[in-house]
Amino acid sequence: MRLLECDLLYTVKTAARGTLYKEKAKSTEATAVGNSVTMKGWILLLMLARLVDFSMTQPTNSLTWLSYLRNRAYSHGYGRSHYNNHASLRAEDEPPVLDCPLECDCPPSYPTAMYCNNRKLQHVPFVPSHIKYVYLQNNQITGITNGVFDNAPNLAWISLHTNKLSSDKISDKVFTKLPNLERLFLHNNNLSRVPQGLPRSLRDLHLNHNNISNVPVESFRGMSNLTALHLQVNSIEDLGNALEGLLSLTLLDLRGNRLKKIPESLPPKLSQLYLEYNRISSVPADFLSQRPELRFVRLSHNQLTSGGIPASAFNVSTLVELDLSFNKLERIPIISTSLENLYLQANKIKEFSVSSFCRVVDTNNYSNLRVLRLEANEIRAQDIPTEAVLCLRLATNIDL
């Protein structure tokens, strides 16, 4: 009896254990299945999130896509030089480079500059708001549309020289929203006129080596801050009163045009005037006396004759350098004793007149002339009078 009870008890325990093991197995299997479902759900969710992220940032063209990739690289520090151990320390201080157009380069070492030069561009790319200096020279840009610079009101320097710009393809309001622009380089293009709406903040304007023939009176109106104006190598015949109002202008370059006379209404502070390679045949009597700031005047390669120069036209004490070479002068014009450099080579001068340099010749009166060039004239060394030694005692170079 006792043995039978023991066997029965063993059978019951074994069955109970089997049931327990089965229940545990089912529970484990259910847990595993649940975990598997949960893991698959997370994977699916991550895939959906990635898909949504990619679809939202999907570029519309290859340039945008490449720019997107480069921006991600910059944001993770991949674009910075591995030699720069302090890049991460300066990252917060550097302006954003993520909006730099792919066609250009915005190096962190020059955070306000955008380099787009020498890239065969045919259009002006987007300019980020923090940029102050834009270099677009040596491209194939033919026109500029309104609004292209509006996002960058702090622009101070724009280089657009050596492109294919034409006046008909430059909108009238391209530069009107740039109140801080100081230097504009538009030389070596195909411009036929001065662009309209130039900002009054300009200090340096380069329009040389174009096809400009007419300069309306309003072209530079209000530009009282302009100090340098480059108009050389164009087709200008007359400036009229276009220079009026340029109260700060100190340098005017008009070489290589078609001027027949010296421009009227020259600015009062002008100190450098370059008029070489024109068709000027005469000089007004009050040309220099009304402009006491003029220091350097160059009139070489014109059609000047001695008859077209009044007696005291160049006899002003403020003039430092005068270039009248490669003209048709037959005599040395009267100059001030304060003049230091005089260029008269390649004329038709036959006489060396000391009175042109010194009205009185003695130990106390002499010329400050240092350089005198008279080669390619009709004067010989033996034609120079002895009193020239006293008059030109400070001369360091006299070429005959």
Side-chain angles (χ1 to χ4, degrees):
M1 184 66 181
R2 183 67 178 171
L3 181 59
L4 182 61
E5 289 178 355
C6 288
D7 290 338
L8 180 62
L9 181 60
Y10 175 79
T11 301
V12 171
K13 287 182 177 180
T14 301
R17 286 174 181 171
T19 302
L20 181 60
Y21 289 153
K22 289 181 180 180
E23 290 295 325
K24 286 185 177 180
K26 289 181 180 181
S27 177
T28 302
E29 182 179 359
T31 302
V33 171
N35 289 341
S36 176
V37 171
T38 303
M39 181 63 68
K40 290 181 179 178
W42 277 109
I43 293 174
L44 181 61
L45 183 60
L46 289 174
M47 291 178 66
L48 288 173
R50 180 58 181 166
L51 182 61
V52 170
D53 176 68
F54 181 77
S55 64
M56 292 180 65
T57 59
Q58 181 69 19
T60 57
N61 54 54
S62 59
L63 284 178
T64 309
W65 174 61
L66 292 172
S67 181
Y68 165 76
L69 294 179
R70 187 177 71 170
N71 292 343
R72 288 187 60 199
Y74 268 117
S75 65
H76 289 85
Y78 303 145
R80 296 187 177 91
S81 172
H82 61 278
Y83 295 106
N84 188 356
N85 297 325
H86 305 288
S88 60
L89 297 177
R90 299 202 331 262
E92 296 181 358
D93 299 329
E94 294 175 354
V97 295
L98 304 184
D99 51 356
C100 184
L102 185 67
E103 306 97 314
C104 308
D105 186 22
C106 305
S109 54
Y110 300 96
T112 59
M114 187 172 90
Y115 296 91
C116 314
N117 52 301
N118 299 290
R119 307 195 182 205
K120 298 182 180 179
L121 298 181
Q122 297 182 3
H123 68 283
V124 177
F126 168 80
V127 181
S129 59
H130 67 278
I131 294 297
K132 293 183 179 180
Y133 308 93
V134 176
Y135 301 93
L136 290 157
Q137 68 270 21
N138 297 311
N139 281 295
Q140 299 174 7
I141 301 172
T142 58
I144 313 173
T145 57
N146 282 332
V148 71
F149 297 122
D150 290 359
N151 186 60
N154 293 321
L155 275 175
W157 186 309
I158 298 178
S159 293
L160 273 162
H161 58 87
T162 317
N163 275 282
K164 298 180 179 180
L165 290 172
S166 62
S167 294
D168 295 336
K169 294 184 179 180
I170 298 180
S171 302
D172 296 342
K173 299 181 180 179
V174 167
F175 304 106
T176 55
K177 295 185 179 180
L178 300 176
N180 299 301
L181 189 64
E182 294 185 355
R183 288 176 170 81
L184 179 59
F185 301 87
L186 293 171
H187 53 285
N188 287 98
N189 279 287
N190 299 319
L191 301 180
S192 58
R193 60 178 179 269
V194 178
Q196 298 183 20
L198 294 176
R200 298 183 176 184
S201 57
L202 278 176
R203 296 181 180 274
D204 191 2
L205 177 59
H206 292 252
L207 293 169
N208 48 293
H209 292 83
N210 279 286
N211 298 317
I212 299 173
S213 58
N214 183 35
V215 183
V217 67
E218 68 274 6
S219 298
F220 310 113
R221 182 169 293 168
M223 297 172 66
S224 58
N225 294 315
L226 192 67
T227 59
L229 177 58
H230 301 265
L231 287 167
Q232 67 268 28
V233 193
N234 278 285
S235 302
I236 302 172
E237 295 184 2
D238 189 4
L239 279 173
N241 294 320
L243 302 177
E244 283 187 346
L246 300 181
L247 303 179
S248 301
L249 195 70
T250 59
L251 185 152
L252 177 60
D253 197 339
L254 287 164
R255 292 173 293 161
N257 279 282
R258 300 177 181 176
L259 298 173
K260 295 182 179 180
K261 61 179 181 179
I262 293 177
E264 301 174 357
S265 304
L266 289 174
K269 291 187 178 181
L270 195 64
S271 64
Q272 301 178 56
L273 178 61
Y274 305 124
L275 293 166
E276 303 103 300
Y277 293 96
N278 277 284
R279 303 173 183 177
I280 300 171
S281 59
S282 62
V283 175
D286 58 352
F287 165 49
L288 291 173
S289 60
Q290 293 185 355
R291 295 166 185 86
E293 298 295 327
L294 264 178
R295 298 290 187 271
F296 304 89
V297 176
R298 295 181 181 174
L299 280 160
S300 66
H301 295 276
N302 275 280
Q303 299 176 10
L304 290 173
T305 63
S306 293
I309 300 179
S312 299
F314 298 117
N315 188 16
V316 290
S317 60
T318 55
L319 198 61
V320 174
E321 180 175 298
L322 177 61
D323 188 354
L324 299 173
S325 60
F326 294 91
N327 279 285
K328 300 177 181 180
L329 303 181
E330 296 181 353
R331 59 179 179 269
I332 300 174
I334 297 175
I335 62 170
S336 170
T337 55
S338 61
L339 190 71
E340 296 183 7
N341 303 305
L342 178 60
Y343 304 98
L344 292 168
Q345 68 269 24
N347 276 282
K348 298 180 180 181
I349 300 173
K350 301 176 181 179
E351 180 185 0
F352 191 101
S353 54
V354 178
S355 60
S356 296
F357 309 100
C358 301
R359 260 56 70 195
V360 177
V361 180
D362 55 31
T363 56
N364 297 321
N365 295 280
Y366 53 89
S367 171
N368 284 284
L369 202 65
R370 265 65 172 179
V371 176
L372 174 60
R373 294 191 60 180
L374 282 165
E375 66 267 30
N377 278 284
E378 300 179 21
I379 299 176
R380 299 173 302 174
Q382 52 266 36
D383 296 331
I384 300 178
T386 55
E387 58 264 29
V389 178
L390 282 176
C391 174
L392 302 175
R393 69 185 70 174
L394 297 182
T396 58
N397 186 15
I398 298 179
D399 293 327
L400 293 174

